[in-house]
Amino acid sequence: MIKTISFFFGSGEITSFADNTCHLINTFANCYVIETSDGLILFDIGQELFGPIIFEKLRQITEKPIKYIIYSHGHFDHCFGFQPIMNEIETKGQKKPQIIAHENLIRRFQKYEHLASYHKWLNKQQFASVIGDDYKGPSTQNVLNPTIIVTNNEYTFRLGKDTFHLYHGWGETDDALWLWFPAKKVLLTGDFILSSYPNVGNPFKVQRYPKEWAETLELMLKKKPHFLGPGHGDLITGEDAIHEVLEGTAQALHFVHDEVIKRLNEGKWFEQLYYEMLEIYPEAWKTKDYLQPLYGCYPFAIHAVYRLYHGWYDSGNPTTLFPAKRTEIAQEFLKIAEPQDFISHCRRLYEAGELQLALHIIDPVIEGLTDRSPQLTEAKILKQEILEKKAEETSSFIAANIYRNGIQQLRED
Ligand SMILES: [Zn+2]
């Protein structure tokens, strides 16, 4: 867990690289500052909460004016920390910078507006129980709209003596841009590289694009970068190290995509395919730093690929087509066996380390008992213990948070 949390709360430290022309400011998501003779380029500006810290760090590095802000994509942690920057511009009476983003980011911002309350609730689900009870969810309401909208797959611009290339690709989102600074061989990837297993199947969020993601990483490889600035995590330096991360991550994405496709073509339903996929994950990848499941994880990625090509009826069992309410099913189970039978059996499974099965067995008691009986209390406490153990055993931030949300829910009920 500690590793996961530190992954999310960067130290705010500054890493300068490429002959001091580039600087990484590390907060929740990374912000990059590129210095030219004519001013600064910012690649991502963090989330609203960290805007002041990022701005303070930026002004420790340089007093030069900001000429361009580039959004790697429209997620809340990458392009909402603009207020202190805009305050300075207003105070000093400076010209506003150009804001560059891909055209799909406009649609994303519109979506955030239409689904404002839902997104706040959703992000609270995703982050709250690890970050803290008073966490209200990130804000995506106050936006700084782009002034240069990239409609092709490529956009090139100059500042000072330097040329910068932006490329569009699909990966975690459909609005992503990555930057190539050829004079210094600097690659800024946004969330195409997260310093952990790609976030390609977030259970809360919309579809991601594993195949296109892999292909984008292969395009990055062709540039032969000397510096790789990821969307989250530490700077990677050296051609060989960068090559391994880009190629290895691309291989992992091809693998999950192609193996799911293969099984779809063999006419397999989700459950069979999923458990087969868990069996075949290459052993050698389990120890790779850049594939550690700190946020997303391989099982989530299997879901993502399946969902990309399949409808929601995924069991092959007609029972699940128009299912009854879970409480009603549970009440029927409790007519067959006593609540105490389920509790005792659950406890045996728990003690034998069969945590997942134990959860399935305790649920009919929690969902089926409507009174405030001692058995309901016992079952809820037991489930909390199992969930805590599950949370401790997973390294995925998202999975751990879902388990801990479940604990909180059981306490509140
Ligand atoms: Zn991010």
Side-chain angles (χ1 to χ4, degrees):
M1 280 315 298
I2 288 158
K3 197 172 180 191
T4 310
I5 290 169
S6 66
F7 171 73
F8 275 94
F9 294 94
S11 56
E13 78 185 49
I14 299 163
T15 307
S16 299
F17 58 102
D19 305 320
N20 271 337
T21 57
C22 299
H23 314 274
L24 183 177
I25 303 171
N26 171 240
T27 58
F28 181 95
N30 290 332
C31 165
Y32 292 89
V33 182
I34 303 175
E35 288 192 61
T36 77
S37 52
D38 280 8
L40 305 175
I41 299 165
L42 302 187
F43 186 84
D44 282 344
I45 48 172
Q47 61 171 299
E48 189 180 29
L49 183 66
F50 295 140
I53 305 165
I54 290 169
F55 182 72
E56 189 193 315
K57 298 285 176 180
L58 165 71
R59 286 308 176 214
Q60 281 173 20
I61 300 166
T62 169
E63 284 300 321
K64 285 181 183 170
I66 300 161
K67 296 295 178 69
Y68 288 94
I69 294 174
I70 299 156
Y71 296 155
S72 70
H73 62 296
H75 276 165
F76 79 90
D77 48 333
H78 293 264
C79 46
F80 290 86
F82 55 82
Q83 204 54 61
I85 296 170
M86 299 318 278
N87 290 348
E88 182 195 59
I89 286 165
E90 202 168 306
T91 310
K92 291 186 175 173
Q94 291 171 335
K95 201 169 160 235
K96 286 182 182 163
Q98 295 283 5
I99 318 291
I100 310 179
H102 186 261
E103 61 178 334
N104 289 346
L105 180 135
I106 308 290
R107 278 217 311 271
R108 174 181 301 282
F109 279 2
Q110 285 166 352
K111 182 177 81 171
Y112 287 161
E113 199 183 326
H114 296 149
L115 292 163
S117 307
Y118 165 66
H119 275 282
K120 230 177 165 78
W121 173 82
L122 195 65
N123 282 317
K124 193 173 155 108
Q125 296 297 312
Q126 190 173 323
F127 296 103
S129 71
V130 176
I131 291 179
D133 290 350
D134 56 350
Y135 182 64
K136 301 281 188 298
S139 169
T140 49
Q141 281 306 281
N142 191 16
V143 303
L144 180 63
N145 279 312
T147 55
I148 296 175
I149 296 165
V150 179
T151 53
N152 297 318
N153 286 336
E154 244 182 281
Y155 181 79
T156 300
F157 66 100
R158 284 183 67 81
L159 187 63
K161 293 183 241 359
D162 293 306
T163 304
F164 300 91
H165 300 280
L166 292 170
Y167 299 94
H168 168 59
W170 285 19
E172 194 196 36
T173 63
D174 63 1
D175 61 349
L177 291 177
W178 53 279
L179 180 140
W180 174 237
F181 176 15
K184 298 289 177 187
K185 296 197 176 300
V186 170
L187 166 70
L188 303 181
T189 65
D191 282 359
F192 283 106
I193 292 291
L194 287 157
S195 308
S196 61
Y197 193 89
N199 179 24
V200 72
N202 184 329
F204 291 109
K205 298 292 169 66
V206 295
Q207 186 65 54
R208 275 80 160 101
Y209 309 98
K211 197 68 181 172
E212 292 85 350
W213 193 329
E215 287 162 358
T216 299
L217 297 176
E218 285 161 351
L219 290 176
M220 292 176 180
L221 256 178
K222 288 187 183 156
K223 302 289 185 191
K224 300 189 188 310
H226 289 189
F227 301 94
L228 185 159
H232 297 257
D234 296 337
L235 181 77
I236 306 168
T237 57
E239 241 184 294
D240 291 348
I242 291 169
H243 192 278
E244 184 183 345
V245 170
L246 289 174
E247 190 180 58
T249 309
Q251 279 172 359
L253 286 161
H254 281 305
F255 176 83
V256 69
H257 179 271
D258 297 350
E259 291 293 334
V260 169
I261 294 290
K262 189 176 140 198
R263 284 163 178 77
L264 285 171
N265 280 325
E266 289 166 357
K268 289 172 179 166
W269 290 101
F270 184 75
E271 185 181 283
Q272 184 183 3
L273 169 159
Y274 177 79
Y275 280 96
E276 282 182 18
M277 293 289 292
L278 294 186
E279 288 297 314
I280 60 164
Y281 189 72
E283 204 55 39
W285 292 354
K286 292 181 183 168
T287 51
K288 297 282 183 201
D289 271 2
Y290 56 87
L291 291 179
Q292 290 307 299
L294 298 183
Y295 188 63
C297 58
Y298 174 65
F300 291 172
I302 302 168
H303 280 280
V305 182
Y306 191 82
R307 190 167 65 147
L308 191 56
Y309 299 109
H310 204 285
W312 57 264
Y313 175 60
D314 64 358
S315 69
N317 176 359
T319 305
T320 66
L321 188 60
F322 300 114
K325 283 184 188 169
R326 289 208 308 265
T327 49
E328 289 176 5
I329 302 167
Q331 280 159 10
E332 296 305 317
F333 276 118
L334 293 182
K335 288 175 190 167
I336 302 167
E338 292 295 322
Q340 201 55 51
D341 295 332
F342 285 94
I343 293 170
S344 302
H345 193 65
C346 170
R347 208 176 283 285
R348 280 195 291 276
L349 286 167
Y350 175 37
E351 281 160 10
E354 295 286 355
L355 302 184
Q356 188 57 43
L357 284 176
L359 287 176
H360 291 295
I361 296 302
I362 202 66
D363 272 353
V365 181
I366 294 169
E367 290 174 340
L369 287 181
T370 48
D371 57 345
R372 294 264 154 207
S373 66
Q375 283 154 332
L376 180 60
T377 308
E378 188 183 350
K380 282 183 174 181
I381 291 169
L382 183 53
K383 183 167 180 178
Q384 287 174 52
E385 276 176 45
I386 302 167
L387 289 175
E388 184 54 44
K389 195 114 183 104
K390 294 274 287 181
E392 283 165 16
E393 284 183 0
T394 184
S395 58
S396 161
F397 173 93
I398 298 176
N401 201 50
I402 289 174
Y403 292 135
R404 295 213 159 91
N405 279 343
I407 295 169
Q408 248 164 287
Q409 191 68 49
L410 287 165
R411 281 195 192 125
E412 285 163 14
D413 276 355

